[in-house]
C-alpha cells in the first residue's frame, strides 16, 4: 500500500471481504443457515420511535439544559439504534420484500428530524460492493472535506459535531446513483409532515430535541466513534475494516460487528455474534476495538489520524473505473450479498 497524492492510502488489491466470505463458507458452510431477515426488528423500531416521541413530550416542559441532557443520553442512544435499523432495511434484513423494509426505514427516520433514510439506503450497497472506490463509496469523505478538517483536535471535534451535514452531502460524489427517485421524494414529504406536526402539537422545543438527538447520535458522542471504528486506519496494520466488541453493542443492534457484517451482509444483526463464534480462527486474529469512548479520545488527540486515514482503490469487482461497462441492479445486489 502507498499514500496517494491526495493523502489517502492507496491499495491495488481488491476489497478483502468477498474472497474471505468464499473461504469462510468453504470451511464453515453452516454459516449459510444464519442468512436471512429478522422481522422482530420492526417491533423494536416501533418501540424506539415511541420512546423518542415520549421523550420529546417530556422535555417540552423542562428547562433547556434538560433538553440537551436528555438528547445526549436517551435521544442519542435511540437515534443511533434507529440508524442501525435503517441500515438493516438497506440490506432487506427486517423483511424479505423491498417495500416493507422501505416503510420500516421511513418509520425509523421520523424522530431523526432530517429525511435521510432513502438516500442512505441507495448508496450503502455501493459501499459494500465497491469499498474504497472514491467515485462509488459514499462512506469515504470528500477530499476537500479531509483537507478542510485537517488533523487538529478542534477540527475533528467540529467534524464529528456536524457529521450529519457532511453525511448528507456524501451521495453527491457517488456515481451511478440518482440523487432523486420516488421513494426519496416520499421520504422528504413524510419527514416534513412529521416535523410540522411535532412543531404544531408539541412545540418547537420538541423539534429541537429531535434535531439535537440526531446530531449527538452520530456526532461528538461515544456512539459517534462508530463511524471511526469501521474503516479508519487507527491501528498499525493493513487491515481496512474493524469490529467493535464492547458493551454498547447491546444498545446498538450489534452494529460493532463490522467485519462480520461486511463478510456476510445478508445476516441480520442478532446473528452477527454467531458468525464470530463460528470462525474464531479468523475474527479473533483481526484487530478490533473494545471501547468507543477510548477510540473517540484517540481520534481527537492523535494528529496522525485524520479523515485521510482511509484506504482507497481503483478496482471495482475486477473491473477498473475506466471500464465503460456498468453493473446493473442485480450485479450490485449480488456483490453486496457476497454469499456466492
Amino acid at each position: 500500500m502507498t499514500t496517494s497524492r491526495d493523502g489517502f492510502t492507496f491499495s491495488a488489491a481488491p476489497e478483502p471481504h468477498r474472497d474471505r466470505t468464499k473461504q469462510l463458507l468453504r470451511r464453515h458452510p453452516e454459516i449459510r443457515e444464519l442468512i436471512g431477515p429478522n422481522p422482530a426488528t420492526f417491533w423494536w423500531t416501533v418501540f424506539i420511535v415511541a420512546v423518542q416521541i415520549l421523550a420529546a413530550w417530556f422535555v417540552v416542559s423542562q428547562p433547556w439544559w434538560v433538553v440537551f441532557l436528555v438528547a445526549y443520553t436517551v435521544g442519542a442512544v435511540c437515534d443511533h439504534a434507529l440508524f442501525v435499523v435503517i441500515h438493516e432495511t438497506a440490506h432487506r434484513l427486517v423483511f424479505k420484500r423491498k417495500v416493507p423494509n422501505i416503510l420500516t426505514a421511513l418509520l425509523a427516520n421520523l424522530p431523526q428530524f432530517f429525511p435521510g433514510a432513502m438516500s442512505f439506503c441507495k448508496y450503502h450497497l455501493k459501499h459494500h460492493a465497491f469499498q474504497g472506490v472514491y467515485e462509488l463509496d459514499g462512506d469515504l469523505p470528500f477530499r476537500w472535506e479531509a483537507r478542510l478538517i485537517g488533523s487538529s483536535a478542534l477540527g475533528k471535534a467540529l467534524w464529528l459535531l456536524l457529521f450529519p451535514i457532511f453525511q448528507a452531502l456524501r451521495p453527491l460524489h457517488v456515481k451511478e446513483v440518482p440523487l432523486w427517485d420516488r421513494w426519496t421524494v416520499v421520504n422528504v414529504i413524510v419527514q416534513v409532515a412529521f416535523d410540522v406536526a411535532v412543531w404544531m402539537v408539541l412545540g418547537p422545543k420538541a423539534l429541537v430535541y429531535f434535531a439535537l438527538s440526531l446530531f449527538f447520535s452520530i456526532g461528538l458522542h461515544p456512539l459517534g466513534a462508530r463511524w471511526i471504528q469501521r474503516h479508519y486506519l487507527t491501528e498499525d496494520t493493513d487491515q481496512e475494516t474493524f469490529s467493535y466488541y464492547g458493551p454498547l453493542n447491546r444498545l446498538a443492534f450489534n452494529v460493532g460487528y463490522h467485519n462480520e457484517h461486511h463478510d456476510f451482509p445478508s445476516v441480520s444483526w442478532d446473528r452477527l455474534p454467531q458468525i464470530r463464534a463460528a470462525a474464531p480462527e479468523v475474527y479473533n486474529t483481526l484487530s478490533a476495538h473494545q471501547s468507543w469512548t477510548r477510540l473517540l479520545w484517540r481520534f481527537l488527540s492523535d494528529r496522525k489520524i485524520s479523515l485521510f486515514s482511509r484506504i482507497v482503490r481503483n478496482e471495482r469487482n475486477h473491473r477498473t473505473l475506466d471500464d465503460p461497462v456498468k453493473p446493473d441492479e442485480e450485479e450490485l445486489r449480488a456483490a453486496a450479498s457476497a454469499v456466492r
Side-chain angles (χ1 to χ4, degrees), residues 286-297:
L286 295 172
S287 296
H289 298 285
Q290 305 298 327
S291 169
W292 275 334
T293 304
R294 184 163 59 244
L295 175 60
L296 175 64
W297 174 254

Side-chain angles (χ1 to χ4, degrees), residues 127-200:
H127 165 60
H128 277 265
F130 309 119
Q131 179 176 311
V133 180
Y134 182 82
E135 293 82 357
L136 298 170
D137 185 354
D139 191 68
L140 285 168
F142 289 97
R143 294 184 177 95
W144 63 260
E145 181 183 345
R147 287 192 291 265
L148 175 67
I149 299 305
S151 58
S152 71
L154 177 60
K156 288 183 283 189
L158 288 173
W159 176 74
L160 279 172
L161 186 63
L162 301 176
F163 189 76
I165 297 174
F166 288 107
Q167 187 78 351
L169 298 175
R170 295 285 174 79
L172 297 178
H173 81 67
V174 179
K175 294 181 178 179
E176 304 173 10
V177 177
L179 187 61
W180 292 96
D181 59 24
R182 61 174 181 166
W183 284 114
T184 307
V185 173
V186 169
N187 192 180
V188 172
I189 293 173
V190 169
Q191 192 64 46
V192 170
F194 179 80
D195 291 347
V196 170
V198 169
W199 180 287
M200 295 180 65

